[in-house]
Amino acid sequence: MRTQVAIIGGGPAGLLLSQLLHRRGIDSVVLERKTKEYVLGRIRAGVLEQGLIRLMEEAGCAERMHAEGFTHDGTQISYGDEMFRVDFAELTGTSVMVYGQTEVTRDLYAAREAAGGKTEFNVEDVVIHNADSAAPHVSYRVGGAARRIDCDFIAGCDGFHGISRQAIPLDVRREYEKIYPFGWLGVLSETPPVNHELIYANSPRGFALCSMRNDKLSRYYVQCSLSDSPGDWTDRAFWEELKRRIPAAQADQLVTGPSIEKSIAPLRSFVTEPMRWGRLFLCGDAAHIVPPTGAKGLNTAASDVHYLYNGLRDFYENGSSRGIDSYSENALKRVWKVERFSWWFSSLLHRYPDQSEFDLKIQIAELEFLRSNKAAQLAMAENYVGLPY
Ligand code: FAS
Ligand code: PHB
């Protein structure tokens, strides 16, 4: 088989890139290790930046998002029984959208299918060949049969546990990592959200987050030990712990119910450099990971796609390699700013085992400063709604 762009990974990064390229008449094939149902079954991000919203519009996939998504003009931040609001709309003139990653991915799959896009599921043994040549190819197996795709370019959109990053030689690749000493236990429940906006909660017992997917489907998280597993937490234990970590007024309003999904995500900051090697370009979690505190994982996959899509367009439409040659540098400039914000917001809200009494005082002082200072709120809001591409 031959295509212009071979895309490894059928998550949001790979699908969005494939759909955008298709809209410009550029051919791609998506290789996905799992089934579509498995990909759609993963419960992940919930907040979209304006940049991703605009890309979904450009991809022709934004109708349901605009119909069912919720615009959020601000967020609540609580510490103990104190709570204050950061007003994104007033400070930045823009907002974010609450619309689950599952739905973004569902819309992208629907668009690819409607366009007759080629996605191979259940692929195995994907190997990247000759990425540092003008004639790269990808080999893989599906249903036991060996396959090969000859292409002009390869987009590694296969997430943190994919194979693309490893295709960049160790003497070329630099990796930067910070592992956080805790995880997030997440619960999805068919209950009305406790608040119409998100609540990011700092409490002496640890971080909590009150989020949602719609007015009948809530998403909650509590910081948990890395040694925990979802089975260690009954629904009752989760709800009782969540109530201890949010202000009493909200805890009293909390509607609990059976969990329909319960999972634990470890937290890490991770960046690999460069994000390009020859004709191979890394996108999304394949190149970088952030703690989910700042809701940046999915949104930074989107900004990578923006840079790569426009670079490939420039190559095919104008014969210019300027966009693909500057891809890694441009993407990494924004990635590191997102890493900084996600690290800062995580440091502000979580309890760390090695925190001293002084550290805890500084954390509260930082929260009080954010509460009282418009410049501090503007800096937080500009990062949260999404830095410019
Ligand atoms: P993805 O990991 O979504 O997709 C990669 C795809 O490649 C997968 O479908 C995988 O099956 C496939 N793949 C892997 N290896 C392959 C191979 N060898 N061959 C073919 N296909 C292969 N972000 C937030 O903003 N908020 C959150 O709350 C949040 N929660 C998260 C919870 C968890 C458990 C995880 C892991 C991530 C979470 N994230 C969150 C981050 C997440 O949303 C990612 O940023 C987002 O999925 C990135 O999209 P992709 O880069 O497409 O990677
Ligand atoms: C979510 O709704 O899953 C969510 C929202 C905001 C975050 C992280 C996760 O920062």
Side-chain angles (χ1 to χ4, degrees):
M1 188 186 332
R2 173 154 185 91
T3 187
Q4 289 169 295
V5 184
I7 298 174
I8 304 172
L15 293 168
L16 179 58
L17 177 63
S18 180
Q19 178 62 9
L20 286 165
L21 292 172
H22 163 75
R23 302 269 287 186
R24 304 299 299 189
I26 299 168
D27 187 54
S28 65
V29 175
V30 175
L31 301 179
E32 168 53 48
R33 177 169 62 179
K34 301 290 188 183
T35 63
K36 179 175 131 182
E37 293 66 31
Y38 183 95
V39 175
L40 293 175
R42 292 187 301 227
I43 306 300
R44 290 188 172 168
V47 173
L48 311 187
E49 294 175 354
Q50 291 300 324
L52 174 49
I53 293 168
R54 285 196 300 274
L55 283 172
M56 288 291 280
E57 290 167 349
E58 188 171 354
C61 302
E63 190 180 337
R64 193 164 73 97
M65 178 184 69
H66 283 304
E68 298 178 15
F70 293 74
T71 298
H72 278 208
D73 289 335
T75 192
Q76 304 286 340
I77 295 176
S78 72
Y79 50 112
D81 262 343
E82 299 294 322
M83 188 155 88
F84 65 95
R85 182 169 186 266
V86 177
D87 189 332
F88 305 144
E90 179 201 81
L91 290 159
T92 69
T94 191
S95 54
V96 293
M97 179 178 287
V98 169
Y99 187 68
Q101 173 173 325
T102 302
E103 303 318 314
V104 169
T105 310
R106 198 190 310 280
D107 294 340
L108 288 166
Y109 268 124
R112 297 307 302 126
E113 287 158 10
K118 186 155 184 52
T119 302
E120 295 244 52
F121 292 102
N122 294 316
V123 302
E124 298 172 312
D125 306 331
V126 176
V127 178
I128 293 169
H129 303 268
N130 307 323
D132 57 341
S133 78
H137 73 273
V138 177
S139 64
Y140 61 101
R141 304 178 68 79
V142 65
R147 298 276 176 81
R148 169 180 170 137
I149 300 179
D150 290 282
C151 51
D152 299 333
F153 300 102
I154 300 168
C157 303
D158 48 348
F160 185 68
H161 300 291
I163 55 98
S164 298
R165 187 170 64 248
Q166 327 302 338
I168 301 180
L170 276 175
D171 62 349
V172 174
R173 189 163 29 114
R174 283 288 308 276
E175 296 188 348
Y176 306 83
E177 186 168 58
K178 177 182 183 60
I179 304 284
Y180 294 81
F182 41 74
W184 277 21
L185 168 63
V187 156
L188 196 64
S189 62
E190 289 170 333
T191 54
V194 71
N195 192 56
H196 70 288
E197 291 179 328
L198 273 61
I199 302 176
Y200 286 90
N202 171 311
S203 93
R205 297 177 67 93
F207 168 79
L209 172 59
C210 301
S211 183
M212 70 222 39
R213 292 294 177 268
N214 59 52
D215 54 10
K216 296 183 179 65
L217 190 61
S218 296
R219 179 68 168 167
Y220 294 106
Y221 298 93
V222 295
Q223 171 185 343
C224 68
S225 162
L226 284 174
S227 59
D228 282 2
S229 63
D232 296 334
W233 287 78
T234 63
D235 286 359
R236 180 186 176 84
F238 177 84
W239 294 122
E240 289 311 311
E241 188 58 36
L242 178 64
K243 285 181 185 173
R244 294 187 193 105
R245 299 190 185 188
I246 61 179
Q250 279 64 43
D252 292 345
Q253 303 290 319
L254 182 70
V255 176
T256 65
S259 60
I260 58 172
E261 191 271 351
K262 191 184 287 177
S263 54
I264 290 180
L267 272 63
R268 78 175 75 231
S269 299
F270 175 86
V271 180
T272 195
E273 293 185 355
M275 288 174 57
R276 178 216 183 160
W277 188 58
R279 294 288 181 112
L280 168 65
F281 297 86
L282 302 183
C283 253
D285 278 18
H288 43 72
I289 295 285
V290 284
T293 322
K296 293 296 159 216
L298 172 61
N299 290 299
T300 311
S303 52
D304 292 347
V305 167
H306 164 83
Y307 295 123
L308 182 54
Y309 156 63
N310 284 292
L312 290 169
R313 264 188 65 184
D314 215 8
F315 177 84
Y316 284 112
E317 295 175 0
N318 310 318
S320 162
S321 65
R322 191 175 46 195
I324 54 176
D325 290 344
S326 59
Y327 168 74
S328 183
E329 182 189 355
N330 288 342
L332 281 166
K333 269 198 192 114
R334 192 177 189 277
V335 162
W336 278 110
K337 290 175 187 163
V338 166
E339 292 286 344
R340 182 210 67 83
F341 172 69
S342 303
W343 162 82
W344 169 77
F345 207 30
S346 297
S347 309
L348 181 68
L349 296 170
H350 289 79
R351 276 290 180 281
Y352 292 67
D354 61 351
Q355 268 174 322
S356 67
E357 286 306 308
F358 174 83
D359 296 334
L360 293 172
K361 281 290 198 184
I362 291 294
Q363 203 177 52
I364 297 302
E366 181 87 28
L367 284 159
E368 293 280 4
F369 180 66
L370 181 61
R371 179 177 196 166
S372 62
N373 185 282
K374 283 295 178 209
Q377 289 191 11
L378 175 59
M380 184 258 169
E382 285 188 341
N383 279 279
Y384 196 91
V385 300
L387 297 175
Y389 284 1

